[in-house]
Amino acid sequence: MRKYIYIAAIIMACVMICSCGAERNLKKAEKYLALGEYYDAATQFKQAYTKTSPKERDKRGQYALKMAFCYEKTNSVQKAVAAYRNAIRYNQAGTNDRLSYARQLLKAGDYKQAATEFKAVLDSMPDNLLAKNGLISALNAPQWKKDGSRYTVKRMDVFNSRRAEFSPVLAGDQYEKLYFTSTRNEAQGNELSGITGTKPGDIFMSEKDDKGKWGKPEAVQGGLNTDFDEGACALSPDQREMYLTQCQTDPSYPRYAQIVTSSRTDASWGKSSPLEITRDTLSSYAHPAVSPDGQWLYFTSDMPGGVGGLDIWRVRITSAGLGGVENLGEPINTPGDEMFPTFRPNGDLYFSSNGHPGMGGLDIYIAKPDKSGRYVLEHPGYPLNSQADDFGMTFEGVHNRGYFSSNRNDGRGWDHIYSFENPEIIQNVKGWVYEQDGYELPSAQVYMIGDDGTNLKLSVKGDGSFEQVIKPNVQYIFLATCKGFLNHKEELKAEKTEESKEYVLQFPLASITAPVLIDNIFYDFDKATLRPESTKALDELVKLLNENPNVTIELSAHCDYKGSSEYNKGLAQRRAEAVVDYLISKGIARDRLSPVGYGKEKPKVIRKKLTEKYDWLKEGDVLTEDFIKKLDEKKQEICNQLNRRTEFIVLRTTYGMFDEKGNLKTQPKPQSTTKEDKKEDDFDIFIE
């Protein structure tokens, strides 16, 4: 008898110890949950669940429900499904919990069981949009997967590790760099995140070598990464400003995700600073994306005033800062979560959602504005989308190829980077803006006008290039402008084609402050007679003067030091006048042109660009007679050729803008008299 009493006492003590242990685990779990540290919270809820007797059905069911919520937050789909089943078994799951369970089944690819659960939820909540769309997904996803699409998808292990990688962003003038977020062991910091159970994320970068092969990813240096979570970055059109999400942690109170910015100096990214979008400090701001024109910052937030869950918002970017927050509303946002906005260069908005009908978790959707400006949604189907989370697109220029992230086929729910491609017939224009007789002009701006109503401002990349998709049978005008330079205009009409085609345009801008060489001007020997092969270059000058009607120029001809100074100067003057006569014959007003012959008085000053061709010359060298005669015979002849030149320099940029009294004239557009005239008027471009 005493033996049984002893055993019963031991059992009672064990029960009491377990009960006390469960309570301690519960307190820790609730604390972690309040801080948003879902991984740690799930661990403690599980221990509390294990230490609680099966006879305490209510408690076990409640713990299971909270476990399910935490697993859901950490993308542990199978664990979430199991936990929800336990909560249902213990009769602790309400209708909203059953809805969450159904959505996790959908994410697990158990479409049949998901359909059953969605139907049960709709019996209680017939108007619930998430349940309606969930049922559509469960009933149709198998067929969508079977039908497939033109997309091809490939896992990119060169970027991936044994941890998580997501939100890739292509960068560089030739898309030779890839930024992305990773929680790999090389990430900064020593502690594991209580939110994910991995190291906090950092921004990493991989770069292509000369053969086009991607290199080993390295953490971005320069103060951008910290011990906190950094991720989901985006770049401004000029690639000098980075927007990214940062999640700080605090042991005493929850910290919400925020968007921070970092500026690039040379090749290094500086320390980030918070970006204040609103004064709401109790909402999260994440997943930034900049519109192709650089005028809007798109982001994800749970701030009040949205449709539900996480919504996509935007705020205008101005020189004075941010202003005017807008919710994108329907049809983009739903009561579910809409996240990870990004843009294709043609203006199409890509985002991910678990609120629209889809394959399972987060699916990628394409939003294209119709003629009224309202977005029309497109689901690109399988295999771009899967039953898992698919998000974070980045595009290789105008082409429908690039990279995205997905946690498909990863039992731990960790994300990895995949490539994608959808072959399309694309016609695009690639332009290069550079200083005439000089280097590229990344500070230039290009305006694109089409007779279909197109009116775009295109950004120029660091190598002076720009790229834009164009439509067949549309007449376009491209105008390149840059401070300190004359404008340059090109016209283009793309014909309908059955294969992709790229049109290349050149925009050499003439300096307003420095002499501009008119290349390929030829005269008869020892005469001022223009040779026929000179007309192409002169016609380009006529075009330039017509495009810049308020400009007057000095047109100068130069000789070398051979011959008498008086004779050379006279010959140079006649040659300058011959060029002016040609320009006048093409309609250029005489009082816009000042012909001057300098003979050898103004030897050429070497600019940096020319030193690339003649490496024995230095920037700033002046090709005087003394300088030239110190060189060998071959180099002397090259220098003499450089001195024998025709060039112009801008004198004024206000021609015809003022009346006789010095008042600014108003310059109304000329009245059109014919259809052709009217067509030309439609293409007028005015730059302030």
Side-chain angles (χ1 to χ4, degrees), residues 126 165 276 303 526 586:
E165 286 80 29
E276 186 179 273
M303 74 174 91
D526 206 24
K586 296 295 182 176

Side-chain angles (χ1 to χ4, degrees), residues 91-112:
N91 295 318
Q92 293 301 307
T95 304
N96 284 314
D97 302 319
R98 299 291 290 263
L99 174 60
S100 297
Y101 172 52
R103 286 160 60 84
Q104 288 299 299
L105 287 169
L106 194 68
K107 200 170 179 178
D110 190 348
Y111 296 125
K112 185 176 180 180

Side-chain angles (χ1 to χ4, degrees), residues 518 521-523 527-530 538 541 553-559 568-584 590 593-599 645-648:
I518 310 172
I521 301 295
F522 305 98
Y523 308 91
K527 295 181 180 179
T529 308
L530 284 167
L538 291 175
L541 180 55
I553 64 171
E554 176 188 279
L555 196 294
S556 59
H558 303 259
C559 298
N568 283 341
K569 191 170 182 179
L571 177 61
Q573 182 67 36
R574 293 193 300 275
R575 286 178 170 180
E577 289 174 353
V579 173
V580 166
D581 289 341
Y582 182 90
L583 299 177
I584 293 172
R590 178 65 178 84
L593 309 168
S594 299
V596 180
Y598 285 108
R645 67 198 190 277
T646 302
E647 62 188 19
F648 72 86

Side-chain angles (χ1 to χ4, degrees), residues 12 52 108 130 164 213 257 284 316 427 468 477 579 636 662 677:
M12 183 69 70
T52 302
L130 293 179
K213 184 179 179 180
S284 291
R316 187 175 292 277
Q427 293 198 70
Q468 183 64 35
I477 284 182
V579 173
Q636 286 186 27
D677 291 337

Side-chain angles (χ1 to χ4, degrees), residues 619-664:
E619 183 181 9
D621 283 346
V622 182
L623 304 187
T624 62
E625 183 176 352
D626 289 341
F627 178 91
I628 295 173
K629 287 184 174 180
K630 294 176 182 178
L631 305 173
D632 60 48
E633 187 175 342
K634 185 178 180 181
K635 292 178 180 177
Q636 286 186 27
E637 180 52 32
I638 292 172
C639 289
N640 284 328
Q641 289 177 1
L642 293 174
N643 272 334
R644 298 191 295 267
R645 67 198 190 277
T646 302
E647 62 188 19
F648 72 86
I649 188 169
V650 175
L651 299 176
R652 290 191 297 146
T653 59
T654 57
Y655 175 82
M657 295 177 62
F658 299 90
D659 60 21
E660 297 176 352
K661 297 181 180 180
N663 298 317
L664 185 65

Side-chain angles (χ1 to χ4, degrees), residues 9 39 209 224 238 292 317 346 509 647 650 662:
Y39 179 87
D209 61 18
L224 177 68
D238 63 3
I317 302 172
N346 66 0
L509 303 192
E647 62 188 19
V650 175

Side-chain angles (χ1 to χ4, degrees), residues 443-651:
S443 59
Q445 192 73 64
V446 177
Y447 296 84
M448 172 180 167
I449 309 294
D451 62 2
D452 65 339
T454 299
N455 191 342
L456 298 175
K457 185 167 73 172
L458 310 178
S459 297
V460 176
K461 294 187 289 188
D463 64 348
S465 69
F466 67 89
E467 202 171 9
Q468 183 64 35
V469 173
I470 56 177
K471 303 174 185 176
N473 301 320
V474 177
Q475 186 74 34
Y476 293 100
I477 284 182
F478 297 85
L479 181 72
T481 70
C482 189
K483 187 176 181 181
F485 295 86
L486 300 181
N487 299 334
H488 184 90
K489 185 168 67 176
E490 291 288 342
E491 299 185 24
L492 174 66
K493 184 176 182 179
E495 303 296 334
K496 194 171 182 180
T497 178
E498 297 301 319
E499 58 185 21
S500 295
K501 184 175 181 179
E502 183 174 82
Y503 298 86
V504 179
L505 299 178
Q506 303 287 339
F507 295 84
L509 303 192
S511 173
I512 292 176
T513 58
V516 180
L517 178 69
I518 310 172
D519 212 359
N520 297 318
I521 301 295
F522 305 98
Y523 308 91
D524 287 340
F525 178 71
D526 206 24
K527 295 181 180 179
T529 308
L530 284 167
R531 296 184 62 82
E533 53 265 42
S534 303
T535 57
K536 182 178 179 181
L538 291 175
D539 288 342
E540 286 294 321
L541 180 55
V542 171
K543 180 173 177 286
L544 178 68
L545 291 169
N546 284 327
E547 292 169 357
N548 299 272
N550 301 121
V551 166
T552 64
I553 64 171
E554 176 188 279
L555 196 294
S556 59
H558 303 259
C559 298
D560 57 30
Y561 61 81
K562 298 178 181 179
S564 71
S565 179
E566 185 178 352
Y567 179 81
N568 283 341
K569 191 170 182 179
L571 177 61
Q573 182 67 36
R574 293 193 300 275
R575 286 178 170 180
E577 289 174 353
V579 173
V580 166
D581 289 341
Y582 182 90
L583 299 177
I584 293 172
S585 72
K586 296 295 182 176
I588 305 300
R590 178 65 178 84
D591 58 351
R592 295 179 63 193
L593 309 168
S594 299
V596 180
Y598 285 108
K600 67 173 185 178
E601 282 79 16
K602 286 194 175 185
K604 188 174 181 65
V605 179
I606 300 301
R607 301 181 67 184
K608 187 177 180 180
K609 184 70 174 178
L610 203 57
T611 64
E612 296 178 3
K613 185 176 182 180
Y614 306 110
D615 58 6
W616 44 273
L617 291 172
K618 301 191 301 293
E619 183 181 9
D621 283 346
V622 182
L623 304 187
T624 62
E625 183 176 352
D626 289 341
F627 178 91
I628 295 173
K629 287 184 174 180
K630 294 176 182 178
L631 305 173
D632 60 48
E633 187 175 342
K634 185 178 180 181
K635 292 178 180 177
Q636 286 186 27
E637 180 52 32
I638 292 172
C639 289
N640 284 328
Q641 289 177 1
L642 293 174
N643 272 334
R644 298 191 295 267
R645 67 198 190 277
T646 302
E647 62 188 19
F648 72 86
I649 188 169
V650 175
L651 299 176

Side-chain angles (χ1 to χ4, degrees), residues 384-434:
L384 186 65
N385 287 312
S386 68
Q387 68 189 50
D389 290 330
D390 306 293
F391 61 98
M393 306 281 286
T394 186
F395 294 88
E396 187 182 327
V398 300
H399 306 286
N400 198 353
R401 63 174 181 256
Y403 304 94
F404 74 109
S405 38
S406 176
N407 61 2
R408 63 185 69 187
N409 302 319
D410 191 294
R412 297 156 298 186
W414 290 347
D415 306 301
H416 301 291
I417 294 174
Y418 290 76
S419 68
F420 73 90
E421 183 171 10
N422 182 4
E424 292 180 332
I425 297 174
I426 293 176
Q427 293 198 70
N428 71 292
V429 60
K430 188 163 188 177
W432 304 86
V433 188
Y434 52 93

